[in-house]
Amino acid sequence: DGVIEEGSSAIDASMLTGESVPVEVTTGDAVVGATVNAGGRLVVRATRIGADTQLAQMAKLVEDAQSGKAEIQRLADRVSAVFVPIVIALATGTLAFWLGAGTGASAAFTAAVAVLIIACPCALGLATPTALLVGTGRGAQLGILIKGPEVLESTRRVDTVVLDKTGTVTSGQMSLVEVHAADGVTEEEVLRLAGALEHASEHPIARAIATGATERVGELPAVEGFQNLEGLGVQGIVGENAVLVGRARLLEEWSVRLSEELVTAKKEAEDKGRTAVLVAWDGEARGVLVVADTVKPTSAEAIAGLRGLGLRPVLLTGDNEAVARAVAAEVGIDEVIAEVLPKDKVDVVKRLQSEGRVVAMVGDGVNDAAALAQADLGLAMGTGTDVAIEASDLTLVRGDLRAAVDAIRLARRTLGTIKGNLFWAFAYNVAALPLAALGLLNPMIAGAAMAFSSVFVVSNSLRLRGFRSANKQTV
């Protein structure tokens, strides 16, 4: 971390703070390690190094949250711990009973052995690993990586899902979303001239405009006399036109006034938390280009899917309130917590847990890692940072939020299969035990029946291979 001694630029801090729009910085501004210089030369004097940096403190938060998680004991272990001693006692009791009844040592031992064989907990031992093996294998085919069996228990109890905004619900990249042209000017003309000028800039917003212009109007004309005006915008000559692209202050410096319609377009964009870029040439304002971090096309469908699973979605972001509210309204989320510092995300998850909620967290950035570790169930986007993936319980290989719906459905289905396996293996043994104890079951038949119970458990687990994604485009 440090302070800028010389230069100015735009800093991309989205992975650390969740702000989708690059932050303009200049001499005297503080900058944080792990943010990315999007363009321009900066000389930074280090003020904090090593364990004192903000990134190191966030890593410590992740470690603290992970160490505080209680391990959930496997269901099979809990059942076997009670079942096995009871069976041994029952076999011993059967032997003693038949010896006492005077039926002979052969019959007594036959009955006792039949009890031990029919109660052999092979199926109990297979119940969890076979279902987990098939479930995780099917998950891998669908781009869902499950870290361990304890994750499955968490999915059953989850009732609230907290979603990071940047890179999870949205694409995490700036895109050109709207073009407003003044009277007498076409959108294509605004895009052609503004796109040509921005194509020569390295700023993330400029790249978004240049890309959008190329996609809509094709090849862009050449630029002469290009100038990058730090913190204001760019200017240059395109064809026979002297073009300005940037902030309102840049146009004011050239005494260019906006028309009523362009002022309205600019205000509407900014009210939605978007970035409005003004375009002028030959002394007149010609258009407004609106740039924003766009919502992924599948996010609204994913939120509906999470609600369908009985989960309450909450949008949690470090971005400003206006942007967060606009994104939440677009995808169908009612509860929004915005302008949250990275270290405070953990506190938000803890607060929700203290209210009695069982929380799942979906995120992708460095700033989400501690919250992912603290949550009862952490889901990291595979397109995000390594630290977020490491802190999570489930990794969604695709950058599609619908995978979170599939992950929770698959985990719940796998847990249901495990419990079904345990029930039938246990019930099967219990039902046959009285027959064996009464001497009505031959040890050979008991052995065959015991083997059948194992086959049943494995076959039941293999049914998970038929799990289908809610997303029809996925295998």
Side-chain angles (χ1 to χ4, degrees):
D1 301 349
V3 175
I4 297 173
E5 293 288 316
E6 183 184 324
S8 58
S9 182
I11 296 291
D12 180 0
S14 58
M15 279 298 170
L16 198 65
T17 65
E19 290 178 282
S20 53
V21 180
V23 181
E24 298 288 344
V25 292
T26 187
T27 304
D29 290 339
V31 288
V32 179
T35 55
V36 180
N37 180 10
R41 176 178 175 271
L42 294 175
V43 176
V44 179
R45 173 172 52 84
T47 55
R48 290 189 294 182
I49 60 171
D52 295 329
T53 63
Q54 190 170 326
L55 184 63
Q57 289 169 8
M58 289 172 65
K60 187 175 185 304
L61 282 175
V62 174
E63 291 174 10
D64 292 344
Q66 285 179 325
S67 62
K69 266 192 174 178
E71 290 186 10
I72 300 172
Q73 199 176 12
R74 290 191 179 186
L75 289 170
D77 293 342
R78 298 208 299 265
V79 173
S80 298
V82 177
F83 184 66
V84 173
I86 291 174
V87 168
I88 293 173
L90 187 59
T92 304
T94 300
L95 177 63
F97 173 79
W98 287 113
L99 285 174
T103 56
S106 177
F109 273 102
T110 298
V113 169
V115 168
L116 287 174
I117 291 174
I118 197 61
C120 181
C122 290
L124 281 175
L126 290 169
T128 298
T130 54
L132 190 62
L133 184 67
V134 179
T136 52
R138 181 58 184 146
Q141 289 177 333
L142 296 173
I144 301 162
L145 305 181
I146 303 173
K147 284 195 176 177
E150 65 277 0
V151 174
L152 306 176
E153 185 71 23
S154 301
T155 62
R156 179 179 62 83
R157 300 178 290 113
V158 165
D159 55 29
T160 302
V161 57
V162 176
L163 300 148
D164 169 53
K165 181 184 72 69
T166 307
T168 301
V169 176
T170 66
S171 64
Q173 296 180 339
M174 305 300 285
S175 302
L176 179 64
V177 293
E178 291 176 15
V179 180
H180 301 276
D183 289 338
V185 182
T186 64
E187 290 185 4
E188 288 73 18
E189 194 174 3
V190 172
L191 281 173
R192 189 172 65 83
L193 295 180
L197 200 56
E198 294 285 47
H199 187 67
S201 174
E202 296 179 351
H203 196 285
I205 291 177
R207 286 201 297 267
I209 292 173
T211 302
T214 303
E215 290 172 354
R216 299 187 196 190
V217 301
E219 190 175 348
L220 301 173
V223 178
E224 295 178 5
F226 173 82
Q227 265 189 290
N228 185 11
L229 308 170
E230 296 293 351
L232 293 175
V234 291
Q235 66 182 47
I237 308 296
V238 182
E240 298 179 355
N241 306 110
V243 185
L244 300 173
V245 181
R247 298 171 182 258
R249 217 171 77 220
L250 175 62
L251 271 64
E252 287 169 7
E253 288 187 2
W254 286 82
S255 301
V256 176
R257 297 188 63 183
L258 296 178
S259 64
E260 288 275 335
E261 58 180 324
L262 293 183
V263 169
T264 302
K266 176 177 179 292
K267 185 177 184 307
E268 286 178 354
E270 290 173 346
D271 286 345
K272 294 178 182 176
R274 296 174 171 179
T275 302
V277 179
L278 308 180
V279 183
W281 63 81
D282 298 339
E284 289 186 38
R286 309 286 185 163
V288 175
L289 304 177
V290 181
V291 177
D293 178 13
T294 53
V295 172
K296 292 178 182 177
T298 57
S299 291
E301 182 186 337
I303 299 302
L306 291 170
R307 286 189 186 278
L309 293 173
L311 303 178
R312 176 181 175 182
V314 178
L315 189 67
L316 177 66
T317 178
D319 219 335
N320 70 67
E321 186 85 19
V323 174
R325 290 283 174 194
V327 169
E330 191 171 340
V331 299
I333 297 177
D334 301 322
E335 192 172 344
V336 177
I337 304 172
E339 299 178 19
V340 180
L341 294 173
K343 61 185 179 63
D344 295 334
K345 284 194 173 186
V346 189
D347 296 331
V348 170
V349 172
K350 286 180 179 177
R351 177 172 59 78
L352 292 171
Q353 289 171 329
S354 69
E355 292 172 1
R357 300 198 208 178
V358 180
V359 181
M361 171 77 190
V362 187
D364 73 322
V366 174
N367 60 325
D368 301 318
L372 286 167
Q374 176 62 39
D376 299 285
L377 178 67
L379 298 94
M381 307 298 275
T383 52
T385 59
D386 290 343
V387 67
I389 293 170
E390 182 64 29
S392 67
D393 302 308
L394 291 169
T395 301
L396 313 176
V397 177
R398 307 191 311 274
D400 188 340
L401 192 55
R402 289 179 297 183
V405 181
D406 289 335
I408 293 173
R409 284 179 55 240
L410 176 60
R412 286 181 175 180
R413 180 81 64 83
T414 304
L415 181 65
T417 301
I418 290 172
K419 289 190 171 182
N421 286 346
L422 290 171
F423 171 77
W424 286 111
F426 187 69
Y428 186 86
N429 289 331
V430 169
L433 273 175
L435 296 175
L438 293 172
L440 302 176
L441 201 60
N442 185 285
M444 292 182 66
I445 297 174
M450 182 270 294
F452 177 76
S453 70
S454 299
V455 170
F456 173 82
V457 163
V458 173
S459 301
N460 190 44
S461 297
L462 288 173
R463 289 171 56 235
L464 285 169
R465 294 174 66 185
F467 177 85
R468 289 286 177 268
S469 168
N471 175 15
K472 293 179 182 176
Q473 295 178 343
T474 306
V475 178

